[in-house]
Every structure is written in C-alpha cells, then in structure tokens.
Amino acid sequence: MISLRGVTLVYPNGVRALDRIDLEIEKGTFVFLVGHSGTGKSSVLRLLYREVKPTAGTVVVDGIRVDRLRKSRVPALRRHLGVVFQDFKLLNEKTVWENVAFALQVTGAHTRDVMRQVPRVLDLVGLSHKSRMYPNELSGGEQQRTAIARALVNNPKLLLCDEPSGNLDPTNTTEIMELLLRINLKGTTVVVATHNQAVVDRMRRRVVRLDDGRIVTDEERGYYFLGLGQTQVLSG
Amino acid sequence: MDWGKLKFFLGEVGRNFTRNAGMQATAIGTVTVTIILLGAFLYVRGLMMHLSTEVFNQIEISVYLSESATPVQTAALRTTIARDRRVRSVQFVPKKEGLKELRRRMGGQVDTSLLTQNPLPDKLRVRVRTPEDVSRVAAHIAKLPGVSTINYGQDVVARLMQLSSVLGKIGIAIIATFVVIASIIISNTIRLTVFARRREIGIMQLVGATNAYIRLPFICEGFLDGLCGALLALALLAIAKVELMPKLSAALPFVRLGAASIDVWQLALELLLVGGAVGALASWVSVGRYLRV
Ligand SMILES: Nc1ncnc2c1ncn2[C@@H]1O[C@H](COP(=O)(O)OP(=O)(O)O)[C@@H](O)[C@H]1O
Ligand SMILES: [Mg+2]
C-alpha cells in the first residue's frame, strides 16, 4: 500500500525533516508513527498525501508514484485516501451532515451518491442522530468522528491520521482509537502519527519510531517506549 | 440535471457574496463608475458619429466656373468630374438658381432685392461618395480648366475630424484607467474572500477538489460584482438619458439628436458583458495567484 525508499525531505527553509527513510506498509495494516515532537511524523504523512514532495527518494501509495505525480493529478490521489488532523478541520457554519457531504460535493459527486454515502459513514462513526448539529455543539470526540466520517466518505483504502487524539480527553481518545480499529478491520489501511503513549501501549500494533528525521525502530507489536515488550528491530 | 449539485454550488456562491458586504459594495461601486463612464462615452461617441455623418452628408463641393467658360467647356468639365469614381453626383446650378438658393438659405436676413445684378457665377455642385475623399477630390477639380474657385467648408471638416479624434483618445484613456482601477478593487475584494475562506479552500484541496472547481465560485462572485455594478450603472445612465436628453435637444435645436440611431439595447448588453467580464477576469487572476502558492 505504501512504500518509501530512500526518502529525504528538506523544507525550503533548509530544515532536514526526513533523512533517507525506508518504510513499507502492507495493505490492511494499522501502523503507529511515534516520536518526539519535531521528529518528522507529520512530514511522512504529508509526503503520502502529496502536500510536499520528497527532496530525494521515491514515494509510492497504492501503486501511484506520488513523488512524480503531476500537480493536476493530486486531487485524484486525495480522493483515494482520507486524512484526519488534531484540529479536526471542520467548517463551523456547516452541520455535521454538510461537513461530511462537502467532501463529495466539492469533488463533483452526484447527489445520488451523496445521499447514499453520507448516511453510511455517519452510521459507521455513530453520529447519525447528530447529523443536523453544528461542530461547536459537539464534544471533541464527536467532532473528530465527524472528521473521520468525512475522510471515509470517498471509500478510501488508506486513512492517514495526524495526532487524531491530540485535542481529546482519555475517554474520547479511547473512543476514537476503537473507531479507527474498526475501520481498519473493515480493510482500510490506517496510519496514525501520535505521541500518546497510553494509546500505543494499549493497542499493541506495529510501531514505527522516528527520531530526528530517521526511523530508529520498527516493531510488529510495539510499545511507545523501546524495550517495554519483546522488541523486534526491523530497521534503523 | 442534478439539482442538488446546482443548489449546493449556488448556495456556496451566495454565502460568499453576502459575507463581505462592505467590500462587495466597494467593488460594485467602482464597476458602476467605470460602466457609467464607458456608457456615457460610447453614447456620446455614437452621437458624434451621427453628427459627423450628418455634416459630412451635407458637404458638397461648389465648383464655381470662370465667367468665360462656354457651355461646351462646362459640359466637358461636368463629364470629366462625373467620371471620377469618388464622385457621387454632379449637378449644374445656373447663376439664377444659385441666387434663389441663397435667398432661401438666408431667409429674411438678407435683402437680395437690393441687388441690381446677379453676383454669382454658374457652378457645379459635386457630392462625393465618402466624406474623407472630399479634400482630395476638391484639389483635383481645382486644377481642371474652366474652374474659377472651389468651396467645400474646408475648415469645418478639418475641425470636426480633429475634435472627434481628440475626444476619442481622451475618452479611451479615462476608461482604460477606470477599468484598471475596477479590476484592482475587484481582485482585492476577491482576495479578501479567498482569505476569509482559506480554511475551506484548504479542506477542499485536502479532500481532492480540483483547482478549477475551487476557483469557480470565486469567478462567479467576481462576475456577479461586475454584473451588479453594470446594472446599477445602466439604471443611472437610463435616468440621465431620460432627464438630460430633452434639455440637450432644446439647447441644440439645429442638431437632430433624436435622429441618431443608437441601439441602446445593444449598448446596454455590451456594458453588462464588459462589467461581468472585468469582474470574472479580475477574480480569476486573484484566485489563481492564491492557488499557485
Ligand atoms: N512547512 C515547514 N517548513 C519548514 N520546516 C518545517 C515545516 N514543517 C515542519 N518543519 C520542520 O520539520 C521538522 C519535522 O516536522 P514535523 O514533520 O511536523 O514533525 P512532527 O510531526 O513529528 O512533530 C521539524 O523540525 C519542523 O520544524
Ligand atoms: Mg506533527
């Protein structure tokens, strides 16, 4: 599903955010990207949805050479993946329903599809009964579930989450993680960048650890801190 | 037709359009001023053109024959002039006719009964096909044998041509300036809307909307700005026409203003299109600049 080979990312201001990264992620897996703030987690995700281009190396997402993608093809790539952020990125003047439908409407979807897909994803995230509410009438967890519904409304095979629980309390965090897990079990590949130790330790999924723009460990059923469980360093 | 799609799109445009009322009003106002100037200019130019053709059509070359010219010579001269392809008609006016004509034209102002002898020579009245040829044709005729003098209101023609060309240039300069000002203000308005909606644009890009799609509502907004401005200008121009034209006609009785066949509907349509186009173009540029970043 995802393949990064020798990827280096230097931002225009000269910051070397990623340094010769190699990373393979199989279809249908659930992967945590962990590491201190500023180690390049968001940068990895940005490469995948083509917010930035690598300075060197190749980026392949679902068979698409993202590093070589022409600008005019970027919208097509983004329709095949969903992205979720810490700050939800919802439109406050639109209802839950409208926020979710927005992703379809602005890509020119038929009303028929909007009417079919929006209820499906709202049901999936458990917000059918709040579809007429506005974001500021919802809890943080509900807002994030709205954002997830929007990310999923195009039926993507890949869901990218950048600190999805960064603004949430533990209860809401658990709720969101369980939702992401359910989504993953339905076959969607899920990549979560986080520095929430509790979540990572409880879920026991693949953990890719970044430090200063490099992948230092990659464990199949890892913990947040290296060495808490049986560790299996695959690269570094 | 997918009505849901259309409704969503129009809703987005409408929301933008009503959000920034102050800026929107400024943008519309500048378009209004621009279109009023443009409309007034085009209208006045239409009148001027009408006037010019009226004057030009009345232009005739009076070819006064020398006293010594025999009827045979006169006939030969007439044929020569008539053969010139630039000439529309040649008419012989004997001196008696000439005097009558003069009396008619002067009305009661001149007492021609005092004249004991007809002072006018025989003449040929020559009309040309296109007004621009008049001076060249006149110069050509002047050199022919049997011609004494020639008169065609040289200075009137020259001044009229000069005036319309100068007015045309000034008008175009003023309008160009205002088109530029209106474009800048509209594109600023759109930039503000773009800025106010940058979150929304970011989300659109994230979920895979194309730049063309993102652009469209803004283009529509600019187009609406231009169209509203033009409509307002048209209303004001229409009022001005109704109020001013009778007074103008009264002040200039010898000019048959009413006879000017200016197609006001076509002019109105053109002004609306100009307004809309200026708006759409200005916003195209300003959103384009944002999206490229
Ligand atoms: N747009 C940017 N321009 C310049 N430097 C950036 C930009 N985004 C991130 N960085 C830098 O790149 C490094 C990695 O950032 P990031 O990928 O956001 O890390 P993380 O998500 O792990 O906190 C940091 O040093 C950060 O300052
Ligand atoms: Mg980050």
Side-chain angles (χ1 to χ4, degrees), chain A residues 99-166:
Chain A
N99 266 286
V100 175
F102 190 71
L104 287 174
Q105 285 163 329
V106 300
T107 52
H110 286 288
T111 308
R112 194 173 352 106
D113 294 325
V114 177
M115 301 312 279
R116 198 182 309 137
Q117 296 299 326
V118 176
R120 177 185 67 83
V121 287
L122 283 180
D123 184 49
L124 176 67
V125 303
L127 278 181
S128 300
H129 60 298
K130 299 205 165 169
S131 64
R132 285 164 180 277
M133 290 199 176
Y134 290 89
N136 55 15
E137 300 169 331
L138 302 174
S139 74
E142 287 165 338
Q143 291 186 45
Q144 192 59 296
R145 274 148 60 192
T146 307
I148 292 172
R150 183 181 63 196
L152 292 177
V153 78
N154 265 316
N155 268 315
K157 289 184 222 156
L158 174 62
L159 182 62
L160 306 173
C161 309
D162 196 349
E163 314 271 5
S165 59

Side-chain angles (χ1 to χ4, degrees), chain B residues 68-130:
Chain B
S68 58
T70 64
V72 177
Q73 277 177 324
T74 308
L77 183 63
R78 208 178 147 177
T79 334
T80 316
I81 295 174
R83 229 183 292 146
D84 191 323
R85 262 191 279 116
R86 296 169 294 184
V87 170
R88 189 168 58 187
S89 69
V90 187
Q91 195 187 351
F92 179 70
V93 184
K95 51 172 101 180
K96 252 198 295 177
E97 280 294 316
L99 192 61
K100 262 192 235 162
E101 207 175 85
L102 186 66
R103 278 203 197 106
R104 211 183 317 123
R105 213 186 283 169
M106 294 301 180
Q109 288 166 351
V110 179
D111 190 356
T112 45
S113 64
L114 290 177
L115 293 173
T116 53
Q117 195 194 336
N118 189 343
L120 294 173
D122 289 334
K123 73 168 184 183
L124 291 176
R125 183 189 288 146
V126 178
R127 289 181 196 274
V128 291
R129 285 184 205 283
T130 43

Side-chain angles (χ1 to χ4, degrees), chain B residues 26-43:
Chain B
T26 318
I28 291 172
T30 47
V31 177
T32 304
V33 173
T34 309
I35 297 294
I36 284 179
L37 287 173
L38 184 62
F41 170 74
L42 290 179
Y43 192 81

Side-chain angles (χ1 to χ4, degrees), chain A residues 11-18 35-44 46 52 162-163 193 210:
Chain A
Y11 282 108
N13 63 357
V15 173
R16 181 173 289 258
L18 297 174
H36 301 297
S37 177
T39 51
K41 306 182 292 295
S42 298
S43 295
V44 171
R46 275 183 216 131
V52 293
D162 196 349
E163 314 271 5
L210 286 160

Side-chain angles (χ1 to χ4, degrees), chain B residues 11-61:
Chain B
E12 294 295 297
V13 174
R15 230 156 27 79
N16 271 351
F17 196 64
T18 48
R19 173 146 45 191
N20 248 311
M23 270 317 284
Q24 226 68 261
T26 318
I28 291 172
T30 47
V31 177
T32 304
V33 173
T34 309
I35 297 294
I36 284 179
L37 287 173
L38 184 62
F41 170 74
L42 290 179
Y43 192 81
V44 168
R45 203 189 58 169
L47 279 184
M48 291 273 302
M49 269 158 61
H50 165 71
L51 279 183
S52 312
T53 29
E54 279 229 318
V55 172
F56 280 138
N57 284 340
Q58 284 164 16
I59 286 176
E60 55 187 43
I61 306 172

Side-chain angles (χ1 to χ4, degrees), chain B residues 151-165:
Chain B
N151 179 14
Y152 64 94
Q154 293 87 330
D155 39 348
V156 177
V157 173
R159 238 180 275 159
L160 209 66
M161 285 185 144
Q162 209 181 353
L163 186 68
S164 54
S165 123

